[in-house]
Amino acid sequence: MKKLFLFTAILLSAVNYSQTGTETTPTQPNKIRVYAPSPSTINNGKPTDNTYKWVVKTDLIAILTGEFPLIAEYRIGKKLSIEGSAAITNAFLSNDLSYFLDGSSDFTSKAAIGTAFRGTLKFYPSSDYDAIEGWSFGIQLFTKTTNREYEVNSTFPELEGKIDTKTKTGISLIISKQLFIDSNIAFESYIGVGLANISRASYSSTYNSTTGFEELKQNNTSESSPNFQFGFRIGFGN
């Protein structure tokens, strides 16, 4: 009887061991892993801003009119930038429109070097781009001087060193669109409308009835008028 009880206990233990030894853990269903790229990082794990920060350019239309600018634009905020321009001018066109209309000019002159400076605060409203890409509205302050040097003649030797100077100073509203393409090349087209003060210092001859001779006379004028601008720029940015 004892042997039967011992045999029964051993058999039950073996059955229990076989059940626990072969028990398998239920497998978890396969999960779909979705790849989400992490943002680019720099030191301290801070996100990197990959938008353009600056662009250097020139204006092809301005070059055709005798202004040779170097223009730099820098992003100062998510939607704001500042732009500065310095240029050399070469007044191959007359400073006086009437010269083209009726050929009236007392003295012959030739192109001389002048300067031009422009500063613009630009706002980029597009939700698709940050400054300095896309459409923008800007307020520009500018000054431009064009000079023409008088050629000396036998009647007026005192024309030596005299210059016909025209200076335009004013403010404009600028509307532009700037886009970047491969290799960081930038293109910008713009129009502007504003108000300018135009001052001019020139020379002419006048007859002196007292002496009976022609005399050299300096003329200074100043007037305000609407100012219109348009241009097409090309440059490089990063």
Side-chain angles (χ1 to χ4, degrees):
M1 187 70 178
K2 289 181 179 179
K3 291 181 179 180
L4 180 59
F5 177 78
L6 180 60
F7 176 76
T8 302
I10 293 172
L11 181 62
L12 291 174
S13 298
V15 171
N16 182 61
Y17 177 79
S18 64
Q19 290 178 345
T20 57
T22 59
E23 181 179 0
T24 59
T25 303
T27 59
Q28 296 291 333
N30 292 332
K31 294 183 178 179
I32 299 175
R33 302 174 71 89
V34 178
Y35 174 72
S38 58
S40 301
T41 57
I42 55 176
N43 295 333
N44 303 323
K46 296 180 181 179
T48 302
D49 186 352
N50 292 320
T51 56
Y52 290 95
K53 304 293 192 310
W54 56 265
V55 59
V56 176
K57 50 199 171 181
T58 192
D59 192 324
L60 301 182
I61 301 299
I63 291 174
L64 295 178
T65 63
E67 181 178 340
F68 303 86
L70 179 62
I71 309 161
E73 183 177 358
Y74 185 77
R75 196 181 102 173
I76 59 173
K78 187 175 179 63
K79 298 293 182 182
L80 290 174
S81 75
I82 54 174
E83 181 180 272
S85 171
I88 292 175
T89 62
N90 184 31
F92 57 83
L93 298 176
S94 172
N95 283 334
D96 189 355
L97 181 60
S98 64
Y99 178 78
F100 295 100
L101 299 179
D102 56 19
S104 60
S105 178
D106 285 353
F107 305 117
T108 302
S109 61
K110 59 184 179 180
I113 298 300
T115 57
F117 300 95
R118 304 178 190 273
T120 310
L121 177 65
K122 300 169 75 172
F123 171 68
Y124 289 79
S126 173
S127 59
D128 298 326
Y129 299 98
D130 293 337
I132 51 180
E133 294 181 82
W135 287 100
S136 71
F137 299 90
I139 297 295
Q140 181 184 98
L141 300 176
F142 64 90
T143 180
K144 178 180 179 180
T145 300
T146 53
N147 295 319
R148 290 187 62 84
E149 183 179 348
Y150 287 108
E151 296 184 1
V152 179
N153 59 49
S154 57
T155 305
F156 293 100
E158 60 268 35
L159 279 174
E160 178 73 35
K162 298 292 191 297
I163 295 176
D164 177 351
T165 298
K166 181 180 180 181
T167 301
K168 182 185 292 186
T169 303
I171 184 171
S172 288
L173 170 65
I174 304 294
I175 302 174
S176 68
K177 186 173 186 180
Q178 183 162 259
L179 297 175
F180 287 83
I181 62 172
D182 293 342
S183 302
N184 296 354
I185 301 300
F187 293 95
E188 181 185 22
S189 56
Y190 74 93
I191 59 173
V193 59
L195 185 66
N197 180 74
I198 302 172
S199 59
R200 186 178 176 211
S202 61
Y203 289 85
S204 63
S205 62
T206 181
Y207 178 74
N208 189 326
S209 58
T210 302
T211 62
F213 293 100
E214 293 285 335
E215 296 181 349
L216 191 66
K217 177 185 177 182
Q218 183 177 11
N219 307 294
N220 295 289
T221 61
S222 180
E223 62 177 357
S224 296
S225 68
N227 182 70
F228 301 97
Q229 298 171 250
F230 64 94
F232 181 77
R233 296 168 171 177
I234 183 172
F236 175 85
N238 198 0

